Amino acid sequence: MTPTTPTARATTTTPAAPPVSRALVLCAGVLTGILALYIALVAFGNVTDFGTNQQFVRHVLAMDTTFRDDDVMWRAITSRPVQNTVYVAIIGWEAVAALVLAAGTWFWGRRDVARARRWSTGGLLMLMLLFGAGFIAVGGEWFSMWQSKDWNGLEAATRVFLLSGVALLFVQLPEGFGRARS
């Protein structure tokens, strides 16, 4: 019989994650701030010049400048109260997104990376939902906005959707990204 010696408990420690680079924090903060400013100005413009984009939403929902194909015209919404409700909901969504992105920008400025990522991600996803699902998918395809020469906002929606996606990718870069490994 061989004597056994008590084995020491092996402890494993995980190395601390390297700090987020200042350049990454700066870039993520600037991208988030630009989009916060943009959507705040959009919401402000929609409130102070209510009628201009209200007409845009009405025409898109009514599908009155599309090819007027009988197979899709049943989708049209011509009720003014419903159109106005949709428009006010869009403005509300924009305003909340602006506030969420502004909070994200503030946290980036304080180098509170965890909170900055959470708030920025939330705000950027709000923009992607509005411009991607709302304007590109629903407005562009369901209400055939792509057919209208006068009331077609697909290019602008695509720009904001893509910029938001790029910002979101940047915000989600892993800690230590771009740092030399030793």
Side-chain angles (χ1 to χ4, degrees):
M1 177 168 205
T2 55
T4 59
T5 59
T7 58
R9 227 183 206 175
T11 58
T12 58
T13 59
T14 56
V20 177
S21 76
R22 289 181 186 188
L24 177 63
V25 169
L26 177 64
C27 291
V30 166
L31 285 170
T32 302
I34 288 168
L35 286 159
L37 175 63
Y38 169 77
I39 200 63
L41 291 173
V42 169
F44 179 77
N46 285 340
V47 170
T48 59
D49 184 18
F50 191 85
T52 299
N53 280 332
Q54 179 188 36
Q55 291 305 310
F56 181 89
V57 170
R58 283 184 175 171
H59 285 289
V60 169
L61 294 177
M63 300 173 65
D64 56 2
T65 60
T66 64
F67 301 161
R68 303 190 63 78
D69 182 348
D70 289 337
D71 293 331
V72 295
M73 286 306 293
W74 61 270
R75 301 175 188 172
I77 297 174
T78 56
S79 165
R80 292 291 172 116
V82 173
Q83 292 171 340
N84 290 337
T85 300
V86 169
Y87 183 50
V88 169
I90 290 169
I91 295 170
W93 188 270
E94 292 166 345
V96 171
L99 291 172
V100 171
L101 288 167
T105 303
W106 188 76
F107 286 122
W108 284 117
R110 294 182 46 93
R111 293 188 51 84
D112 186 343
V113 175
R115 285 188 179 140
R117 280 190 171 149
R118 276 195 306 275
W119 284 88
S120 297
T121 298
L124 292 167
L125 287 174
M126 289 180 74
L127 290 185
M128 293 183 80
L129 283 169
L130 178 62
F131 288 90
F135 297 145
I136 296 171
V138 175
E141 288 302 316
W142 185 257
F143 291 106
S144 301
M145 182 170 55
W146 65 271
Q147 296 177 1
S148 178
K149 287 180 174 44
D150 299 320
W151 303 101
N152 186 340
L154 289 174
E155 271 189 46
T158 300
R159 277 193 308 269
V160 177
F161 180 78
L162 291 175
L163 183 57
S164 299
V166 167
L168 183 60
L169 289 173
F170 213 91
V171 162
Q172 294 301 317
L173 285 175
E175 293 190 26
F177 180 82
R179 289 186 179 252
R181 305 268 181 200
S182 52

